[in-house]
Amino acid sequence: MATGDKPLVLISGGVGITPTLAMLDAALAAPGERPVHFIHCARNADVHAFRAHVDAQAARHPRLQVFYCHDEAQGTGAAPHAVGRLDRARLQDWLPADRDLDAYFLGPKPFMAQLRRDLHALGVPPAQSRYEFFGPTSALE
């Protein structure tokens, strides 16, 4: 993970949250006041993993901004910030104003492919937009 003063944006979909948590915890443990934006997308509140951990980190670290997006409004857990897919307009609202940032995103391949397109369209430099696959490596095209 890149270090520095640029805002860090971590975006996960579904089980992509698992490796994203390690990056979140490392970023918050690092010295400095680097802003961190954490965006997680889940099907609904019942399958939103690790929410208590992320919320606890947000309570301890004012430089952490957290946004949750659920596909469905059902479930017994706390309500998300938005219901529906993470689209470009919502992403634009949740990203830092300065697009000179470091973005990392993990999740299902279609989710990552759309995020890569949206981040580029919103002005995030391609070299600062990184992703990782679970399983065999393949291209996002």
Side-chain angles (χ1 to χ4, degrees):
M1 181 171 62
T3 58
D5 295 333
K6 292 178 185 161
L8 174 64
V9 177
L10 302 171
I11 308 170
S12 57
V15 298
I17 193 169
T18 305
T20 308
L21 284 179
M23 292 188 286
L24 173 65
D25 292 346
L28 295 174
E33 291 300 315
R34 183 181 197 185
V36 179
H37 289 232
F38 187 90
I39 301 169
H40 180 62
C41 303
R43 192 173 323 119
N44 58 51
D46 290 340
V47 296
H48 184 148
F50 303 108
R51 182 168 183 163
H53 175 77
V54 175
D55 288 347
Q57 288 287 48
R60 283 192 298 276
H61 299 279
R63 64 190 172 114
L64 172 59
Q65 291 190 32
V66 175
F67 303 96
Y68 301 128
C69 187
H70 293 171
D71 291 344
E72 309 162 347
Q74 67 186 31
T76 57
H81 297 90
V83 175
R85 298 287 174 147
L86 179 61
D87 60 16
R88 188 175 297 169
R90 186 167 290 136
L91 184 60
Q92 180 174 348
D93 290 344
W94 291 351
L95 287 177
D98 181 1
R99 298 300 198 252
D100 185 21
L101 55 85
D102 290 315
Y104 293 83
F105 48 99
L106 298 101
K109 185 176 178 178
F111 172 82
M112 293 193 307
Q114 186 62 52
L115 272 172
R116 188 174 83 168
R117 287 189 296 270
D118 289 346
L119 288 167
H120 180 70
L122 292 171
V124 175
Q128 292 164 218
S129 178
R130 301 165 183 97
Y131 58 90
E132 184 173 319
F133 287 99
F134 295 115
T137 302
S138 61
L140 279 182
E141 279 80 44

